[in-house]
Amino acid sequence: MRKILIVGAGQSGLQLALTLREHDYDVTVMSARTPEEIRSGRVMSTQAMFHTALQTERDHGLSLWEAETVGIQGLGVSIAGPDGARALDWFGRLDRPAQSVDQRVKMAGWSELFEERGGKLIISGVTTSDLNSLAELYDLVIVAAGKGELVGLFDRDASRSPFSAPQRALSLAYVHGLAPRPEHPDSPGVRFNIVPGVGELFVIPAYTLSGNCDILFFEGVPGGPLDCWDDHPAPAAHLGRLLDLVRTHVPWEYERCGDVELTDANATLAGGYTPVVRRPVGELPSGRAVLGMADVVVANDPITGQGSNSAAKCATSYLASILEHGDRPFDRGWMQGAFDRYWDYAQHVTTWTNALLGPPPEHVVQILGAASAHETVARRFVNGFDDPTDFRQWFLDPAGAAEYLATL
């Protein structure tokens, strides 16, 4: 039985570990926190997972909260005009609902499920020195922890990493009491509010420790009015400041916030990180090679909501590469090939995400405008969040956009 060590207990690491157990691999996961510590800790992310990633969870018996979780029916886009009112506003429907489950809920539950299915869960932080000693005990070591010392094992790929600093200041709060948008009271959806030159506010229906809720998530242009979190305010002050920013910059969303309160004492987060692609093969002091996955090797800004989806798809891709490899050694060539297989998909997510971080080109402005008048355009854009490879055909290609819009 082949022995695999996965360092990191997030979406990618736990999904891969759980699916490998189905094939009787001897899998060990190392997590810095116990399931109960995860549940009682601070929120870790936003997330909105779309059909393809969700179906993988269903196929492997991992969709444990679907019955309780609100279904996200679509995505709405609003753009603020110079007068502060909405210059553009529309709602596009997903072909199949999306979901957002607080990672405190999911990762704690999956960690417990992993042990129930015969996996070994070790609660311990891991340094490079630790991993250097452990690696010889396993046929394959995968690093799935996107933060911390181990990320330094993987060199930045300058040819695929155009940014050297964070492109957004991030801040969020999980809340109860947000009223529905009056235009679509019976169709819960993500709201994508754009304030040109300032940033974006996403409103995401979600499920957390205390039931269904909403996530208020700001992405602020560095140096602008949304970049105001360096003092790391306490949760109540964080929510108050965030609501002040909603009132100032997206007042149509503030109208929904009269009864808003935090879901729990750990329901706020602020920070930022530099989007980066890293080389997938890291080398330990011993000379032993380890494989990076998901955010370790491809970390995109969350503006396109692809983090959990990409992590899930990376786990699916790596699973296929591992199973197909049989009993052969997991050498550097195999590791590079496993990443290249995933990159065939992930490159499209990275290109699309990086494009949204800059001012929109004219053809994108035309697409968003056409979506307000043509349901088919809105629907194609919204469903691209499930399959971002479609965007290369039109959203990222001025000629393709012109050709597509001419057919309307």
mmCIF file of all heavy atoms in Angstrom, residues 168 355-362:
data_model
loop_
_atom_site.group_PDB
_atom_site.id
_atom_site.type_symbol
_atom_site.label_atom_id
_atom_site.label_comp_id
_atom_site.label_asym_id
_atom_site.label_seq_id
_atom_site.Cartn_x
_atom_site.Cartn_y
_atom_site.Cartn_z
ATOM 1 N N ARG A 168 -5.337 43.986 -4.033
ATOM 2 C CA ARG A 168 -6.534 44.402 -3.312
ATOM 3 C C ARG A 168 -6.295 44.284 -1.806
ATOM 4 O O ARG A 168 -5.598 43.377 -1.343
ATOM 5 C CB ARG A 168 -7.758 43.554 -3.685
ATOM 6 C CG ARG A 168 -8.280 43.739 -5.110
ATOM 7 C CD ARG A 168 -8.880 45.108 -5.319
ATOM 8 N NE ARG A 168 -9.574 45.226 -6.597
ATOM 9 C CZ ARG A 168 -8.986 45.584 -7.742
ATOM 10 N NH1 ARG A 168 -7.684 45.845 -7.774
ATOM 11 N NH2 ARG A 168 -9.693 45.686 -8.853
ATOM 12 N N ALA A 355 -6.941 39.699 -15.190
ATOM 13 C CA ALA A 355 -7.557 40.704 -16.053
ATOM 14 C C ALA A 355 -8.570 41.545 -15.288
ATOM 15 O O ALA A 355 -8.682 42.764 -15.515
ATOM 16 C CB ALA A 355 -8.219 40.027 -17.255
ATOM 17 N N LEU A 356 -9.314 40.926 -14.361
ATOM 18 C CA LEU A 356 -10.337 41.660 -13.615
ATOM 19 C C LEU A 356 -9.745 42.611 -12.584
ATOM 20 O O LEU A 356 -10.458 43.464 -12.063
ATOM 21 C CB LEU A 356 -11.289 40.687 -12.925
ATOM 22 C CG LEU A 356 -12.357 40.017 -13.786
ATOM 23 C CD1 LEU A 356 -13.368 39.300 -12.915
ATOM 24 C CD2 LEU A 356 -13.078 41.007 -14.689
ATOM 25 N N LEU A 357 -8.474 42.479 -12.291
ATOM 26 C CA LEU A 357 -7.846 43.351 -11.309
ATOM 27 C C LEU A 357 -7.482 44.718 -11.875
ATOM 28 O O LEU A 357 -7.176 45.640 -11.114
ATOM 29 C CB LEU A 357 -6.584 42.678 -10.747
ATOM 30 C CG LEU A 357 -6.852 41.447 -9.871
ATOM 31 C CD1 LEU A 357 -5.553 40.725 -9.576
ATOM 32 C CD2 LEU A 357 -7.561 41.843 -8.578
ATOM 33 N N GLY A 358 -7.522 44.862 -13.184
ATOM 34 C CA GLY A 358 -7.230 46.145 -13.808
ATOM 35 C C GLY A 358 -8.494 46.820 -14.315
ATOM 36 O O GLY A 358 -9.595 46.250 -14.260
ATOM 37 N N PRO A 359 -8.377 48.058 -14.806
ATOM 38 C CA PRO A 359 -9.538 48.736 -15.397
ATOM 39 C C PRO A 359 -10.076 47.922 -16.571
ATOM 40 O O PRO A 359 -9.299 47.372 -17.358
ATOM 41 C CB PRO A 359 -8.961 50.080 -15.862
ATOM 42 C CG PRO A 359 -7.711 50.263 -15.062
ATOM 43 C CD PRO A 359 -7.167 48.893 -14.826
ATOM 44 N N PRO A 360 -11.389 47.830 -16.715
ATOM 45 C CA PRO A 360 -11.940 46.996 -17.789
ATOM 46 C C PRO A 360 -11.687 47.605 -19.166
ATOM 47 O O PRO A 360 -11.909 48.801 -19.361
ATOM 48 C CB PRO A 360 -13.435 46.952 -17.473
ATOM 49 C CG PRO A 360 -13.688 48.200 -16.687
ATOM 50 C CD PRO A 360 -12.440 48.442 -15.891
ATOM 51 N N PRO A 361 -11.231 46.807 -20.124
ATOM 52 C CA PRO A 361 -11.097 47.309 -21.491
ATOM 53 C C PRO A 361 -12.465 47.540 -22.114
ATOM 54 O O PRO A 361 -13.497 47.081 -21.588
ATOM 55 C CB PRO A 361 -10.330 46.192 -22.202
ATOM 56 C CG PRO A 361 -10.579 44.972 -21.394
ATOM 57 C CD PRO A 361 -10.765 45.419 -19.982
ATOM 58 N N GLU A 362 -12.484 48.214 -23.223
ATOM 59 C CA GLU A 362 -13.741 48.625 -23.840
ATOM 60 C C GLU A 362 -14.634 47.435 -24.165
ATOM 61 O O GLU A 362 -15.853 47.500 -23.982
ATOM 62 C CB GLU A 362 -13.472 49.439 -25.103
ATOM 63 C CG GLU A 362 -14.727 49.929 -25.822
ATOM 64 C CD GLU A 362 -15.625 50.806 -24.948
ATOM 65 O OE1 GLU A 362 -15.082 51.514 -24.067
ATOM 66 O OE2 GLU A 362 -16.863 50.768 -25.130
#
